Amino acid sequence: WGWNQEAAKKRAENYQWNGDDMLFNIGAQLHSARSKSAAASRMQLCDNFASAAKFWGLTVVLATIVEALMVVTAIEAGSPTMAAVWGSILGVFFIIGLMVSVKTNDWTFPVGTLISIVCAVSLMGGLIGGDLLKQSHGFVNSEGKDIDVEQMAISHWGIYSWAAGTRVDTSTVAKFNDVCAVPIVKQTQVGTNYNLQAVGYWAVDKGGCCSNSPPDCDGWDEEWKNGINWYMPDRPTAIFVDTDYDIKQSEMYAAIATVNGGSSANGPVALVWSNNAKGKMQGLYDTPAW
């Protein structure tokens, strides 16, 4: 009510709470309309509907714009920076909105409430959405294409797309607990004797498919398409997104170590098979973000 106590006491003497004027009090609005004549009732409802539509329309538009800016900030500067910058900005405006709301008697269009709601909704949606889309953007833009498994292993975070004729060799299986790993090699090497220490890429999976002999994990009987490396340190820092996938990194490499006796390749790189890695990223990050 202000910092002047005497003025505040005077205003409090004449203060009357009028819930009928609030845009959110739908029950009070209908009750007030029913107590008037039909013409006056329709006019009041039309006026109130127009005010409410204007209020919520602006809320949606402004929140969408702010969330889009938060997503852009996350992609360009990272999720922690986005959270710090926009958390501070929206936090300040949220408090300003509350102060304006308390000090404003006219509820015809509650600007303070609008500011506070936009800040609260944008902060929740923008932080989570920005974090998710940052991960997806990073995965999709980190794709290595036409990778030749006979060349030195390329260790990077993100999506691997293989050259034609690349397969998994299920004749050699490494296991640790319920995790299994098989070499990713040229078609001509499948079923032959080759140096496992020189294998730079391994496909990993877990669960019931690993207990079969040979493993029949999803897609392992098809020509190789994509691999996904979830764990490299250049992956963007996450705030809300779980940085661990369904197979722990330590279990992946423990399985590989049971058969290769220590790799001489650069890595080795343990990958989760995916026939459509970009589609998988969209399902994990893009769809939840929207």
Side-chain angles (χ1 to χ4, degrees):
W1 287 103
W3 301 106
N4 188 322
Q5 291 187 359
E6 293 301 322
K9 290 178 181 179
K10 193 166 185 178
R11 286 196 299 269
E13 291 176 358
N14 301 319
Y15 175 73
Q16 291 183 350
W17 176 259
N18 187 0
D20 291 352
D21 291 337
M22 293 185 65
L23 295 176
F24 315 105
N25 195 341
I26 298 175
Q29 297 280 5
L30 294 175
H31 175 74
S32 176
R34 283 195 297 266
S35 65
K36 298 179 180 180
S37 66
S41 175
R42 283 194 298 269
M43 184 175 295
Q44 179 186 352
L45 286 176
C46 289
D47 290 343
N48 291 341
F49 177 80
S51 297
K54 182 179 176 182
F55 177 88
W56 291 111
L58 276 173
T59 299
V60 171
V61 170
L62 292 174
T64 301
I65 293 173
V66 173
E67 288 184 19
L69 291 174
M70 293 178 70
V71 169
V72 171
T73 305
I75 292 175
E76 296 298 328
S79 295
T81 300
M82 177 268 291
V85 171
W86 283 102
S88 301
I89 293 173
L90 294 178
V92 170
F93 275 96
F94 180 81
I95 295 173
I96 292 174
L98 289 180
M99 294 175 63
V100 171
S101 178
V102 169
K103 289 178 172 291
T104 302
N105 294 324
D106 183 12
W107 278 86
T108 303
F109 192 82
V111 176
T113 305
L114 173 68
I115 295 173
S116 296
I117 291 179
V118 168
C119 291
V121 172
S122 300
L123 188 61
M124 291 185 291
L127 288 177
I128 298 173
D131 206 12
L132 289 166
L133 292 173
K134 173 63 177 178
Q135 299 294 312
S136 177
H137 184 269
F139 270 111
V140 171
N141 286 278
S142 65
E143 181 178 9
K145 297 182 178 180
D146 297 328
I147 296 174
D148 186 348
V149 292
E150 292 185 333
Q151 302 298 320
M152 179 177 291
I154 301 171
S155 183
H156 75 270
W157 165 76
I159 297 174
Y160 288 67
S161 295
W162 309 102
T166 306
R167 304 279 296 197
V168 296
D169 184 7
T170 55
S171 64
T172 299
V173 184
K175 292 185 178 181
F176 180 81
N177 295 333
D178 63 342
V179 175
C180 59
V182 294
I184 303 172
V185 295
K186 287 287 189 182
Q187 174 70 54
T188 55
Q189 293 179 288
V190 174
T192 65
N193 292 323
Y194 49 86
N195 182 8
L196 292 175
Q197 288 188 332
V199 175
Y201 303 101
W202 293 74
V204 295
D205 212 323
K206 68 181 298 185
C209 69
C210 292
S211 61
N212 299 325
S213 185
D216 57 354
C217 299
D218 186 26
W220 282 9
D221 58 345
E222 303 173 12
E223 184 173 335
W224 196 263
K225 299 297 182 183
N226 297 135
I228 304 174
N229 185 356
W230 304 88
Y231 303 101
M232 296 297 292
D234 52 342
R235 179 174 180 173
T237 303
I239 301 175
F240 299 100
V241 179
D242 189 359
T243 57
D244 195 12
Y245 192 54
D246 56 354
I247 306 174
K248 292 182 178 180
Q249 185 180 19
S250 58
E251 293 181 346
M252 288 182 177
Y253 290 103
I256 295 171
T258 62
V259 296
N260 76 349
S263 175
S264 61
N266 179 24
V269 182
L271 305 160
V272 175
W273 182 89
S274 175
N275 188 40
N276 180 12
K278 289 185 179 180
K280 194 177 187 71
M281 293 304 104
Q282 290 175 347
L284 285 171
Y285 300 117
D286 290 357
T287 301
W290 299 116

